[in-house]
Amino acid sequence: MKRCIITDQVNSDFEEALKKCRKLGYPYIEIHSIWGKTVEQLSEEDAHHAYELIQKYEMQVVVLASTLFLMTPLRGQDSLRKFDPAYPAFVGTYAEHVAALEHTLKIAKIMGCANIRVFSFRSPENRIVIGDDDDQFLIIDRFRTPVKMAENAGVTLLLENCPYCHLPKGTMTKRITDHFQSPHFKLLWDPANSYQSVKDRIPRKYLNATLEEEMRSIFKSIGHIHIKDLKYVLHEIKPFKPSILGQGDIAYKEILQILKDGDYQGFCSLETELNVPDTIVSMIVFNSMLESMHIRR
């Protein structure tokens, strides 16, 4: 496995982020937003300029962390709101998201990137239980066109389990990718997202597995992994607090060992959701974790 990081976690200035990533031994990067734009909003000129900087610092983009199919309703009557006003996300109709995917595929080609992150539609305010069989059927239907587009472009879509979407657990997203059986549609597994999923909104059959059990059950479908740590703080309105890696509740040493034992060949990408100084500390901690397990950069 190889280490990776999302650049806007390190510095909002793209070039400064590249310098710091290179210095700390992270030659592989994931891009969510640069120059105040999400990847799906970049112009082709922006993409060429970004690629020049990427080449200058001898980096490689492994994932474009788009927000496609996040802020758009699964059902016409769904009522949506942004979960974090500060989080840059593309907002539009389903048709507009499909059009944005077509553009993002062009951006990926310019940057030499083979993977694009996508979501399972924002969970609505006007429904309690989400992600049941009916929802999954609709999500499968919505992804028929995007998957075909990705296959034609030779790019892989990575479906992330997200606590703000219909499919918070990796076992739920796996049911979608299993339907297509396409090498161009895989899972982006985020164990912290699974950990913080709202239990009373998910069908009971998805609630019993530990993170280690969940990972083992979806292992062969994983195309990419996000790494962040969380600490549960009782009596808080938002009880799951981002923590420096290794100081939260998630047993990453055990998770990384399972990945190593299973000969995972993909990337583990830091998405700390912390301030810059704490992100830098987490980068150093992650290096130490992997090196203690004799996992090369």
Side-chain angles (χ1 to χ4, degrees):
M1 83 188 82
K2 300 182 181 73
R3 68 202 72 187
C4 179
I5 191 163
I6 302 177
T7 57
D8 60 10
Q9 306 281 299
V10 181
N11 199 304
S12 58
D13 182 300
F14 186 55
E15 186 166 11
E16 290 302 316
L18 294 178
K19 290 178 184 177
K20 181 61 75 172
C21 291
R22 191 77 223 182
K23 182 178 180 180
L24 291 176
Y26 287 76
Y28 302 105
I29 58 170
E30 185 172 343
I31 300 175
H32 166 227
S33 66
I34 50 178
W35 305 313
K37 302 176 183 179
T38 59
V39 289
E40 57 269 45
Q41 295 170 326
L42 295 175
S43 67
E44 292 187 27
E45 183 180 0
D46 290 332
H48 282 293
H49 179 42
Y51 188 58
E52 288 173 3
L53 292 173
I54 290 160
Q55 288 185 306
K56 177 181 176 181
Y57 292 99
E58 299 179 319
M59 310 290 277
Q60 182 181 340
V61 185
V62 296
V63 176
L64 294 184
S66 85
T67 55
L68 293 171
F69 309 108
L70 172 60
M71 290 304 298
T72 191
L74 178 62
R75 301 170 187 270
Q77 67 271 30
D78 284 352
S79 174
L80 308 185
R81 67 176 176 83
K82 291 193 74 172
F83 53 87
D84 182 354
Y87 182 76
F90 181 80
V91 180
T93 64
Y94 170 76
E96 288 169 334
H97 278 252
V98 170
L101 173 60
E102 184 174 13
H103 175 71
T104 308
L105 288 167
K106 295 176 183 177
I107 301 301
K109 184 176 181 180
I110 291 169
M111 292 192 182
C113 179
N115 303 285
I116 296 173
R117 187 260 306 269
V118 293
F119 288 95
S120 59
F121 301 87
R122 177 78 170 98
S123 51
E125 298 294 298
N126 55 318
R127 283 193 287 131
I128 296 176
V129 177
I130 46 91
D132 59 16
D133 290 347
D134 287 343
D135 284 345
Q136 291 182 24
F137 177 81
L138 284 174
I139 291 167
I140 287 169
D141 190 54
R142 297 292 190 274
F143 271 108
R144 295 187 196 281
T145 296
V147 170
K148 195 66 176 174
M149 292 166 66
E151 289 173 341
N152 291 339
V155 169
T156 298
L157 299 183
L158 299 170
L159 181 62
E160 180 169 359
N161 62 297
C162 172
Y164 306 108
C165 291
H166 285 78
L167 308 176
K169 299 280 191 179
T171 45
M172 301 171 83
T173 51
K174 183 177 183 292
R175 291 194 69 189
I176 308 304
T177 59
D178 277 356
H179 175 85
F180 288 91
Q181 291 293 300
S182 172
H184 294 279
F185 195 29
K186 296 183 179 180
L187 303 185
L188 193 167
W189 187 55
D190 187 321
N193 282 355
S194 183
Y195 175 60
Q196 67 177 317
S197 56
V198 181
K199 305 297 186 288
D200 60 2
R201 298 202 71 180
I202 303 170
R204 287 179 122 188
K205 61 184 175 181
Y206 298 110
L207 293 178
N208 296 325
T210 65
L211 289 179
E212 292 89 342
E213 289 168 341
E214 180 177 325
M215 184 173 66
R216 287 190 175 96
S217 71
I218 67 175
F219 188 91
K220 292 182 180 179
S221 301
I222 295 173
H224 192 67
I225 294 174
H226 277 173
I227 301 288
K228 59 175 172 277
D229 215 343
L230 299 172
K231 189 76 175 176
Y232 183 80
V233 181
L234 194 62
H235 304 311
E236 292 280 339
I237 295 174
K238 292 187 175 182
F240 296 97
K241 305 298 181 184
S243 302
I244 290 172
L245 189 64
Q247 296 183 17
D249 298 333
I250 300 175
Y252 275 113
K253 288 184 180 179
E254 288 81 354
I255 287 173
L256 291 171
Q257 188 63 54
I258 294 170
L259 291 171
K260 181 183 178 183
D261 293 344
D263 195 28
Y264 173 67
Q265 295 294 308
F267 293 87
C268 289
S269 186
L270 279 176
E271 184 191 28
T272 64
E273 299 182 0
L274 296 166
N275 59 37
V276 170
D278 286 346
T279 292
I280 300 302
V281 173
S282 290
M283 292 172 75
I284 295 168
V285 169
F286 194 37
N287 283 344
S288 297
M289 277 187 183
L290 294 177
E291 285 160 10
S292 70
M293 298 173 66
H294 306 289
I295 297 172
R296 295 190 206 176
R297 301 184 181 185

